[in-house]
C-alpha cells in the first residue's frame, strides 16, 4: 500500500508465503493503473536492487499463470500467441523477500542474487499460490481485470512495433536511388 500511495490500485494487496527446498518466500503483489512496474526485492533482508534469479522466477510464474488463466477464461483464443511477461508486469508493484542459506551475490556491489535454485523455488511457490488464489478462492474477476490490462498493454506494444516498421519501410523507400525510367516520383 505504501509503494502505491500516489497511484490508483486496482485491488487490495495479495500476500503469499511459502517454502521450498529450504528457501522461504514472502511476496506482496498489487496492480495499479500506471504503465511501469516496481519490484522491490530482498534476500536475507539485503536489498537486491539489480534483481537476480529470485525476481526471474517470480516474473516467470506471473507470466505462466496469467497466460494459462487467460486461455482457460477464453480471453485468449487458441490461435492467439501468449502474452509476454512485460505485458503482465505493466502496473505491477511487488515486494519480495527471500530467506535462504549459502547466498551467492553477483557483481562487485553485491546487489544481484545469483543462486539458480532461488529461481526454481520462487517460481514454484508463486505458481502454486497464484493458482490456489484464483482457482480455489474463486477470484476470477480479479484475474480477468489483470489479464485485460495485459491484453491492452500487448495491443499498445504491437501498434508501436507496426508503426516502427512502417516508418522504417518509408525511410528505405526514400533512400533508394532508382535509375532512368524507374526514378521515384516527387512533388513540390
Amino acid at each position: 500500500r505504501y509503494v502505491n500511495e500516489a497511484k490508483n490500485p486496482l485491488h487490495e494487496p495479495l500476500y503469499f508465503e511459502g517454502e521450498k527446498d529450504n528457501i522461504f518466500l514472502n511476496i506482496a503483489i498489487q496492480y495499479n493503473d500506471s504503465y511501469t512496474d516496481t519490484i522491490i526485492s530482498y534476500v536475507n533482508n539485503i536489498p537486491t536492487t539489480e534483481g537476480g534469479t529470485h525476481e526471474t522466477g517470480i516474473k516467470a510464474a506471473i507470466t505462466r499463470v496469467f497466460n494459462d488463466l487467460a486461455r482457460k477464461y477464453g480471453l485468449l483464443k487458441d490461435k492467439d500467441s501468449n502474452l509476454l511477461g512485460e505485458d503482465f508486469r505493466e502496473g505491477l508493484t511487488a515486494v519480495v523477500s527471500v530467506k535462504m542459506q549459502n547466498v551467492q551475490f553477483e557483481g562487485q556491489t553485491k546487489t544481484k542474487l545469483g543462486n539458480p535454485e532461488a529461481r526454481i523455488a520462487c517460481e514454484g511457490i508463486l505458481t502454486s499460490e497464484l493458482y490456489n488464489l484464483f482457482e480455489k478462492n474463486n477470484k476470477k474477476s480479479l484475474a480477468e481485470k489483470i489479464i485485460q490490462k495485459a491484453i491492452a498493454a500487448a495491443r499498445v506494444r504491437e501498434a508501436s512495433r507496426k508503426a516502427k516498421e512502417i516508418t522504417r519501410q518509408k525511410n528505405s523507400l526514400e533512400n533508394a536511388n532508382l535509375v532512368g525510367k524507374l526514378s521515384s516520383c516527387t512533388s513540390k
Side-chain angles (χ1 to χ4, degrees):
R1 287 190 181 119
Y2 172 74
V3 178
N4 278 339
E5 252 179 2
K7 301 170 185 155
N8 296 325
L10 300 179
H11 58 86
E12 286 297 309
L14 306 173
Y15 177 75
F16 307 104
E17 60 183 20
E19 183 266 335
K20 182 177 181 182
D21 300 331
N22 222 14
I23 296 174
F24 298 88
L25 170 70
N26 296 350
I27 181 169
I29 296 174
Q30 187 176 38
Y31 277 87
N32 57 59
D33 62 358
S34 73
Y35 303 109
T36 58
D37 64 325
T38 306
I39 299 177
I40 303 167
S41 61
Y42 301 89
V43 175
N44 295 346
N45 293 334
I46 299 169
T48 51
T49 53
E50 294 179 27
T53 54
H54 58 312
E55 281 190 25
T56 305
I58 285 160
K59 291 173 182 176
I62 288 172
T63 304
R64 179 186 303 132
V65 168
F66 284 121
N67 268 320
D68 289 350
L69 292 174
R71 296 226 182 264
K72 182 177 180 181
Y73 297 154
L75 299 170
L76 279 180
K77 305 293 182 245
D78 290 337
K79 63 179 176 71
D80 295 338
S81 60
N82 278 345
L83 299 174
L84 300 180
E86 66 189 58
D87 300 330
F88 289 112
R89 287 193 300 273
E90 188 172 286
L92 171 71
T93 300
V95 179
V96 181
S97 175
V98 175
K99 305 265 193 241
M100 60 184 292
Q101 297 175 346
N102 304 323
V103 179
Q104 299 168 356
F105 289 109
E106 292 179 5
Q108 192 171 1
T109 56
K110 308 288 186 219
T111 54
K112 184 174 183 180
L113 182 66
N115 295 57
E117 65 271 15
R119 184 191 66 76
I120 296 164
C122 290
E123 185 174 350
I125 293 167
L126 189 58
T127 298
S128 66
E129 291 293 326
L130 284 172
Y131 277 126
N132 284 343
L133 175 74
F134 294 119
E135 295 295 306
K136 292 182 180 166
N137 295 338
N138 206 9
K139 298 262 189 188
K140 183 178 178 181
S141 63
L142 173 60
E144 286 178 343
K145 190 186 297 186
I146 293 169
I147 293 166
Q148 291 293 357
K149 183 171 176 49
I151 289 172
R155 282 193 197 115
V156 169
R157 177 178 44 81
E158 194 61 29
S160 171
R161 185 189 64 78
K162 286 180 182 174
K164 281 181 187 174
E165 216 171 82
I166 290 169
T167 305
R168 286 186 184 132
Q169 286 175 350
K170 203 182 292 183
N171 285 343
S172 67
L173 287 175
E174 289 170 0
N175 295 338
N177 291 329
L178 300 173
V179 205
K181 291 182 183 178
L182 300 175
S183 62
S184 57
C185 63
T186 57
S187 62
K188 294 187 180 182

